[in-house]
Amino acid sequence: MKICNICHRISATGEDHIDCVQKRNIELNDENMKNSIQEKLNLSKMDKELGVEVRALLEHLSREKESN
């Protein structure tokens, strides 16, 4: 038996819990997506072509990234 490195509970298998590992991977992928969304869309070139709602959403995601 070992302590899971993610949730810090006892793991009977001697490794991290599978669900803890999957949850961490999902969180990391989500964080990577937030960090790279502006670069992927290259907003400086397409700013005028986007709708108002899309621009507001992207600006919100960018601000959320900066505050973290």
Side-chain angles (χ1 to χ4, degrees):
M1 291 210 290
K2 170 190 159 192
I3 302 291
C4 176
N5 292 321
I6 301 167
C7 70
H8 306 292
R9 289 188 239 151
I10 295 173
S11 173
T13 61
E15 298 178 7
D16 294 338
H17 299 118
I18 294 173
D19 57 329
C20 292
V21 172
Q22 290 174 343
K23 182 179 177 185
R24 182 174 57 182
N25 286 340
I26 290 170
E27 290 171 351
L28 290 174
N29 287 338
D30 186 43
E31 193 65 31
N32 290 338
M33 190 274 302
K34 284 182 184 177
N35 291 336
S36 66
I37 191 166
Q38 197 166 15
E39 292 83 20
K40 285 182 181 177
L41 293 176
N42 201 0
L43 293 180
S44 61
K45 292 181 182 177
M46 318 181 343
D47 193 29
K48 305 297 185 246
E49 298 172 11
L50 296 174
V52 175
E53 297 86 3
V54 175
R55 273 189 279 160
L57 177 65
L58 294 173
E59 288 174 8
H60 172 74
L61 288 173
S62 297
R63 273 186 261 137
E64 185 177 304
K65 177 182 80 170
E66 292 170 359
S67 65
N68 290 334

